[in-house]
Amino acid sequence: MNFINNITRVTSLLGIASLLLAYTTNVSHSGSNPNPQGVNKMKSGYHWATAPTREMQDDDFSNPAFLWVDIGSEQWTTKDGEAGKSCASCHSGVETMKGVAATYPKYSAEDGKLRAVQHQINNCRTQQMKAKPWKWESDNMLGVAALVKNQSKGMPIKVKVTGEAQPFYNKGKKSYMLRRGGLDMSCKNCHMDYTDTRIRANILSNGLGNGFPTYRLKWQKIGSLHRRFRGCNKNVRATPFKSGSDVYTNLELFLTAHAMGMEIETPSVRN
Amino acid sequence: MSYRLILGAIVGVAVFSSLLASSNAHDYIVVDDTIPVSLTGVPGDPVKGKKLSVNRKKGNCLACHAMPIPEQQFHGEVGPDLSGVGSRMTQAELRLRLVNSKALNPDTIMPAFHKVALNRVLKKFKGKTILGAQEIEDIIAYISTLKS
């Protein structure tokens, strides 16, 4: 913050130059960033987490989500399916996954729609390994998804929302704005209109996915972003969609694009 | 945005009836930004109204509003503090605000407590309003005691 304040001070000394700077910065943002509020205003849920929760996340040894990352590491080298292969047979070390998760959800020409990391993992299992797909919320899926995303920890989110991804992004956006359930509320009503505002015991965050799968103290385990979507749907008395459904995957792209440039935190800890 | 203008421009007086014949929603008449007549004709009970305002499965007003109920922790900040609302607003104004806040502000986050929602409503809540007509009257009776 001090650093930023100092920069502001210096640039304001430069007078007109600073205006020009601000102008060009805005222009360059508008091309790549679909978030109308500006990427700098978006904050990770970490910002609103309590100090003990943050500490738990900050230290890999106290972060309980790493129990699942360990399950993921074990699965990475475990052969399964008729092809007799493990992930490592084709991808060697998991560090080859560095940066991959930052680009998901991603359009797949083969499927003609988006793939979240979990869809890609199951695609490799069924197509490449001739193994059974994992259930979305199974320990193995959560573990491998967390392991793959953890390879991109600290890297900026960089999803594609143009070209073939655009119609799916648009659907996700529409879905985000749509009121649902007995309480007739949209995601926007809470996470955009009232960010930083107390709603009973919670303070509303931007509702982003950059830390998922996340260890939730309430769940006493790690869970997927789609599980969180189901929870937010049910809280407004709406019938949730299935995890891995097109609706949630499109919504995931919208949220992820919303957090464009933000660092991936997986696995995060939340209350 | 001036909701008075919009409402006034449309009709001034409009009759709303429930969309689902099977629902528990009562009919009512909107006049400007009010519903002047009680939904039930039975006076509201402020003691019940206070309980309904706190109850998370009923009004849950505390989720979004601070209220002069110090024994409850964590009051919300989404809407205005309701302390003194009984001096600011008439019962008729409060009634429309509670029955269907979207008639006043279509973008509001505040639920329409006596209107049947239709999009992907969980089975358990299908065809039902959040609060019954008498519950609305009870809450009105309670919050109109909150004088400044």
Side-chain angles (χ1 to χ4, degrees), chain B residues 1 3-4 19 45 57 69 73 77 90 95 129 133-134 137:
Chain B
M1 188 171 63
Y3 48 78
R4 276 168 199 278
L19 286 159
D45 175 344
K57 296 199 165 128
I69 309 180
Q73 262 189 307
E77 299 165 344
T90 64
R95 193 171 289 111
T129 61
Q134 193 55 42
E137 293 302 324

Side-chain angles (χ1 to χ4, degrees), chain A residues 178-185 188-190 193-194 196-201 204 234 237-241, chain B residues 54 56-57 62-64 72-78 102 106-109 111 117 119-122 125 130:
Chain A
L178 189 68
R179 290 179 183 268
R180 297 190 179 91
L183 302 188
D184 203 33
M185 287 185 200
K188 169 191 179 284
N189 281 149
C190 283
D193 295 348
Y194 291 100
D196 226 357
T197 308
R198 184 175 285 284
I199 185 159
R200 204 70 211 253
L204 287 164
K234 286 189 261 183
R237 303 183 182 176
T239 312
F241 295 86
Chain B
V54 172
R56 287 164 200 264
K57 296 199 165 128
L62 278 184
C64 295
Q72 287 287 329
Q73 262 189 307
F74 302 125
H75 297 205
E77 299 165 344
V78 172
K102 283 171 200 133
D107 293 329
T108 189
I109 189 176
N119 189 17
R120 280 191 85 80
V121 178
L122 268 176
F125 299 103
I130 306 168

Side-chain angles (χ1 to χ4, degrees), chain A residues 137-162:
Chain A
E137 218 59 37
S138 64
D139 286 338
N140 285 341
M141 178 58 98
L142 289 165
V144 173
L147 175 74
V148 168
K149 291 205 175 182
N150 182 243
Q151 305 311 307
S152 303
K153 187 174 168 183
M155 296 178 73
I157 287 172
K158 210 180 161 194
V159 285
K160 203 169 166 213
V161 297
T162 53

Side-chain angles (χ1 to χ4, degrees), chain B residues 57-104:
Chain B
K57 296 199 165 128
K58 291 291 186 175
N60 197 18
C61 317
L62 278 184
C64 295
H65 294 281
M67 299 175 85
I69 309 180
E71 63 274 22
Q72 287 287 329
Q73 262 189 307
F74 302 125
H75 297 205
E77 299 165 344
V78 172
D81 191 332
L82 294 185
S83 312
V85 77
S87 304
R88 292 198 295 275
M89 293 171 79
T90 64
Q91 294 213 349
E93 286 172 324
L94 290 171
R95 193 171 289 111
L96 178 57
R97 168 54 74 179
L98 285 179
V99 164
N100 181 15
S101 50
K102 283 171 200 133
L104 302 169

